[in-house]
C-alpha cells in the first residue's frame, strides 16, 4: 500500500478538530493509501505560493525521507499556482482534498451517469490546474517566437480536456432528459416521493432497505449499505406499497461530507435534483457520531446549495442502539430509531403517511400549565412556530396534521 503524509493547516477561518483528522485518515484509506503522518501548521491564512509557510517544506521533505512516503495530501483545495509551486519543490505526488474525494467517487461509481458525473467534476477541476503548469512550459519557448514542445503539448492537453468536458456535458444532458421525463411520468401518476438525505455513513441505505422490506411489493433487491464513506453514489428510487397505507416512492442518494467539493456538487446536480422535487425529505442523522449536530448543519447547507426550499423535513435520529442517552438539540418533527434493527419502522411508515397525505392545520392552542407532556409531544411531533407563556396557559402557534388536529382539538382556540 502506498504511504501518504497528510498536511493540515489551521487558519483563522477553520480549525481542524480531532474528528476532522480522523475523517481525513478515513478518506485517505478509502483511496487505498496508508496515512503515515499528519503535519499540521497554524497560520492566519494560507500563503499564496505554497499554501503552507515555506519553512514547512523542509519538515515535509524530512518526513517523506523518514517514511519513504509516496504521496502528499493537503486537506483543502489548492489553487493552480500553489499546486504548481509545491510540485516544483517536492518530488512525490501531491493531491488536495478535492482530488482525494473525487478519487473515492471515481472508485465507487457504478452507473454510467455516476461515472460521467465524476469524470466531469475531475476534468473541470483539473483544467485550470493544467493551465497553472503553463507558466513553466512557456519558459521553454524557443527564441524564434514559435512555440516550444512543452507549450505545444500543454495546448494539446488542454484542448483534449476541453473537448472531453464538452462531450461529458452532452452525454449527461441526455441522461438528465431521460431522468426528467421519468419524473414527469411519476408526477402524472401522482405518486409522492420521499428522499433520504444526510451525512455520509448515517444509515440512509440501511433505512431504505428497512422500508423496502416493509413493502408488499418487496422484490428482494437491497441497497448497498457499508461502513465506509460514500458507499452510495447512485440515486435509486423504489416504490413502497403497503396494504393499509397509501403508496409512495423512496429515493436513496449520495451522502454529504464536510467541505464537499463545489465541483462535485455541480456535477452531481442532476442526481441531486431529485431531492429538490420530493414531497418529503427524511434527514438521517447518526447519533452515535459525536459530531452529529455539526453533520446535521452541513447536510442542511448542502440542501440549501442544491436549491431545496419549503419541503417538509422529518429528522430520523438513527443508530439509537449504539447510544445510551437520547440525543440533545433534536429538530422537529423527529423519530429516534435504529434502521439496522428495524425498530420503530412501523412508526416511521406511519409518520411518512401522515406527513405526505394529511392536510396541515395552522392553529393557535392554549394549553393549561399542567399539560407539559402534551407540550413536549407537540414540540416533538408537530411544527411549533411560536410559544408564549400567558396567565391562562401556554399559547402555541403550530401546524398540526389530521391526526394531531383531531387529538388536540379541545385546546384549539
Ligand atoms: N449500529 C447501527 N449501525 C447502523 C444503523 N444504520 C446503519 N448502520 C451501519 O452504518 C453503516 C453505514 O450505513 P449505510 O446505510 O451504508 O449509510 P449511508 O448513509 O447510506 O452511507 P453513504 O451511502 O456512504 O452516504 C453500515 O455499516 C450500517 O450497517 C443502525 O441503526 N445501527
Ligand atoms: Mg448509502
Amino acid at each position: 500500500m502506498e504511504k501518504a503524509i497528510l498536511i493540515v493547516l489551521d487558519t483563522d477561518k477553520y480549525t481542524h478538530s480531532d474528528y476532522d483528522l480522523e475523517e481525513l485518515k478515513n478518506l485517505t484509506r478509502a483511496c487505498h493509501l496508508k496515512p503515515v503522518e499528519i503535519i499540521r501548521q497554524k497560520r492566519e491564512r494560507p500563503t499564496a505560493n505554497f499554501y503552507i509557510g515555506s519553512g514547512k517544506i523542509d519538515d515535509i521533505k524530512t518526513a517523506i525521507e523518514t517514511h519513504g512516503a509516496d504521496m502528499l495530501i493537503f486537506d483543502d483545495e489548492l489553487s493552480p499556482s500553489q499546486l504548481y509551486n509545491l510540485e516544483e519543490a517536492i518530488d512525490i505526488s501531491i493531491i488536495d482534498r478535492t482530488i482525494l474525494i473525487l478519487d473515492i467517487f471515481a472508485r465507487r461509481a457504478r452507473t454510467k451517469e455516476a461515472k460521467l458525473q465524476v469524470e466531469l467534476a475531475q476534468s473541470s477541476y483539473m483544467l485550470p490546474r493544467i493551465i497553472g503548469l503553463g507558466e513553466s512550459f512557456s519558459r521553454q519557448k524557443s527564441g524564434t517566437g514559435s512555440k516550444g514542445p512543452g507549450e505545444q503539448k500543454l495546448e494539446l492537453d488542454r484542448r483534449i480536456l476541453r473537448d472531453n468536458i464538452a462531450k461529458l456535458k452532452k452525454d449527461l444532458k441526455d441522461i438528465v432528459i431521460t431522468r426528467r421525463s421519468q419524473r414527469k411520468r411519476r408526477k402524472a401518476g401522482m405518486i409522492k416521493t420521499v428522499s433520504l438525505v444526510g451525512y455520509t455513513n448515517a444509515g440512509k441505505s440501511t433505512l431504505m432497505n428497512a422500508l423496502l422490506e416493509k413493502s408488499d411489493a418487496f422484490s428482494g433487491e437491497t441497497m448497498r449499505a457499508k461502513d465506509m464513506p460514500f458507499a452510495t453514489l447512485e440515486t435509486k428510487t423504489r416504490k413502497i406499497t403497503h396494504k393499509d397505507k397509501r403508496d409512495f416512492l423512496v429515493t436513496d442518494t449520495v451522502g454529504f461530507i464536510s467541505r464537499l467539493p463545489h465541483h462535485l456538487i455541480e456535477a452531481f446536480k442532476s442526481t441531486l435534483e431529485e431531492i429538490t422535487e420530493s414531497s418529503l425529505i427524511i434527514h438521517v442523522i447518526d447519533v452515535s457520531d459525536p459530531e452529529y449536530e455539526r453533520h446535521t448543519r452541513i447536510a442542511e447547507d448542502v440542501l440549501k446549495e442544491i436549491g431545496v426550499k419549503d419541503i417538509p423535513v422529518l429528522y430520523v435520529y438513527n443508530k439509537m442502539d449504539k447510544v445510551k442517552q437520547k440525543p440533545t438539540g433534536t429538530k422537529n418533527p423527529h423519530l429516534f430509531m435504529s434502521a439496522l434493527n428495524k425498530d420503530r419502522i412501523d412508526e416511521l411508515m406511519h409518520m411518512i403517511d401522515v406527513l405526505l397525505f394529511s392536510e396541515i392545520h395552522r392553529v393557535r392552542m392554549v394549553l393549561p400549565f399542567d399539560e407539559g407532556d402534551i407540550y413536549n409531544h407537540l414540540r416533538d411531533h408537530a411544527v411549533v412556530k411560536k410559544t408564549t407563556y400567558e396567565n391562562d396557559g401556554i399559547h402555541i402557534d403550530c401546524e398540526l396534521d389530521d391526526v394531531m388536529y383531531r387529538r388536540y382539538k379541545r385546546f384549539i382556540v
Side-chain angles (χ1 to χ4, degrees):
M1 214 193 244
E2 288 197 310
K3 296 177 195 163
I5 294 173
L6 315 179
I7 315 289
V8 166
L9 188 67
D10 295 314
T11 61
D12 287 355
K13 260 188 145 160
Y14 197 92
T15 304
H16 290 74
S17 64
D18 289 347
Y19 185 91
D20 284 325
L21 301 181
E22 212 39 56
E23 185 176 83
L24 177 62
K25 283 193 220 161
N26 280 334
L27 290 174
T28 307
R29 290 186 194 110
C31 263
H32 300 290
L33 295 163
K34 185 179 173 196
V36 289
E37 188 176 333
I38 296 181
I39 295 180
R40 195 169 177 174
Q41 191 179 33
K42 195 173 159 36
R43 337 174 29 103
E44 246 172 73
R45 65 181 82 89
T47 68
N49 50 356
F50 291 116
Y51 177 75
I52 40 164
S54 53
K56 269 281 171 224
I57 300 282
D58 284 334
D59 294 359
I60 291 174
K61 283 184 177 158
T62 314
I64 293 171
E65 290 265 318
T66 315
H67 297 285
D70 309 280
M71 174 94 66
L72 280 190
I73 301 176
F74 284 74
D75 188 36
D76 202 348
E77 223 162 72
L78 293 175
S79 73
S81 62
Q82 287 164 341
L83 187 62
Y84 170 74
N85 292 333
L86 285 163
E87 275 175 345
E88 287 283 285
I90 293 164
D91 280 338
I92 63 173
S93 307
I94 297 167
I95 62 172
D96 66 7
R97 182 180 175 86
T98 300
I99 299 174
L100 182 72
I101 292 178
L102 290 176
D103 192 85
I104 300 170
F105 270 66
R107 283 164 196 273
R108 304 263 207 271
R110 293 285 171 273
T111 61
K112 185 171 172 221
E113 183 180 20
K115 284 181 185 161
L116 289 172
Q117 286 170 326
V118 176
E119 204 184 329
L120 177 60
Q122 286 176 320
S123 304
S124 14
Y125 192 68
M126 284 325 289
L127 186 63
R129 284 163 180 80
I130 288 196
I131 289 168
L133 299 175
E135 290 143 35
S136 80
F137 285 128
S138 52
R139 270 187 247 136
Q140 304 168 11
K141 225 180 198 174
S142 59
T144 59
S146 65
K147 285 172 183 162
E151 206 180 1
Q152 274 173 7
K153 160 106 181 34
L154 176 74
E155 269 185 12
L156 189 66
D157 286 351
R158 268 189 230 158
R159 206 173 60 223
I160 292 172
L161 205 52
R162 268 202 209 99
D163 288 351
N164 194 31
I165 290 172
K167 182 170 181 319
L168 288 167
K169 281 190 175 155
K170 195 196 155 293
D171 291 352
L172 269 170
K173 210 169 176 183
D174 296 343
I175 295 179
V176 171
I177 290 169
T178 317
R179 216 183 234 295
R180 283 206 182 123
S181 71
Q182 275 171 357
R183 270 208 305 265
K184 220 184 235 159
R185 242 178 292 140
R186 256 189 245 140
K187 269 195 182 156
M190 289 299 281
I191 303 186
K192 298 197 174 190
T193 304
V194 177
S195 291
L196 301 172
V197 306
Y199 209 74
T200 185
N201 218 38
K204 299 176 290 299
S205 302
T206 309
L207 187 60
M208 172 102 163
N209 287 335
L211 284 169
L212 285 175
E213 269 180 46
K214 272 279 148 190
S215 173
D216 296 334
F218 182 47
S219 68
E221 180 211 15
T222 53
M223 303 295 130
R224 185 171 131 106
K226 270 190 105 173
D227 191 13
M228 62 181 188
F230 307 120
T232 307
L233 287 191
E234 282 81 35
T235 297
K236 287 217 170 111
T237 302
R238 297 289 177 270
K239 190 167 166 184
I240 308 285
T241 55
H242 194 275
K243 56 183 184 327
D244 4 287
K245 297 221 161 52
R246 283 151 287 199
D247 295 355
F248 65 93
L249 297 168
V250 59
T251 293
D252 180 26
T253 191
V254 51
F256 306 147
I257 199 166
S258 143
R259 294 170 290 145
L260 194 63
H262 180 72
H263 282 82
L264 205 58
I265 298 181
E266 270 306 309
F268 271 74
K269 273 224 164 116
S270 59
T271 295
L272 299 170
E273 214 171 57
E274 201 102 1
I275 301 174
T276 63
E277 293 183 7
S278 49
S279 307
L280 173 69
I281 286 176
I282 294 185
H283 186 159
V284 185
I285 298 157
D286 173 0
V287 291
S288 72
D289 191 309
E291 301 261 328
Y292 72 89
E293 284 183 84
R294 192 164 75 92
H295 291 175
T296 308
R297 281 196 300 276
I298 290 167
E300 285 179 334
D301 288 344
V302 177
L303 289 175
K304 234 181 263 157
E305 191 173 343
I306 60 174
V308 168
K309 48 172 196 280
D310 301 330
I311 302 177
V313 181
L314 168 62
Y315 297 87
V316 166
Y317 290 91
N318 190 34
K319 307 200 190 179
M320 285 299 289
D321 58 296
K322 286 174 89 178
V323 295
K324 296 213 171 58
Q325 279 165 339
K326 284 213 164 151
T328 54
T330 47
K331 302 189 159 220
N332 299 313
H334 71 238
L335 182 68
F336 297 123
M337 67 177 293
S338 164
L340 194 63
N341 302 342
K342 303 184 192 72
D343 81 330
R344 308 192 80 183
I345 192 81
D346 289 322
E347 204 169 330
L348 178 65
M349 290 283 282
H350 174 73
M351 283 180 96
I352 292 173
D353 193 64
V354 168
L355 288 164
L356 279 181
F357 300 104
S358 88
E359 220 182 295
I360 298 297
H361 306 265
R362 291 193 176 79
V363 298
R364 149 91 38 111
M365 296 169 80
V366 179
L367 269 189
F369 289 113
D370 55 1
E371 296 283 12
D373 284 350
I374 295 183
Y375 181 70
N376 290 339
H377 188 254
L378 281 172
R379 214 192 39 207
D380 290 351
H381 298 280
V383 179
V384 174
K385 295 279 188 197
K386 198 174 141 205
T387 305
T388 51
Y389 292 83
E390 309 282 345
N391 289 334
D392 58 340
I394 313 170
H395 287 227
I396 308 157
D397 289 341
C398 61
E399 293 174 2
L400 302 178
D401 59 48
D402 285 338
V403 177
M404 300 273 272
Y405 182 77
R406 261 178 275 135
R407 189 163 168 181
Y408 296 125
K409 216 166 176 177
R410 63 188 188 281
F411 299 116
I412 295 171
V413 293

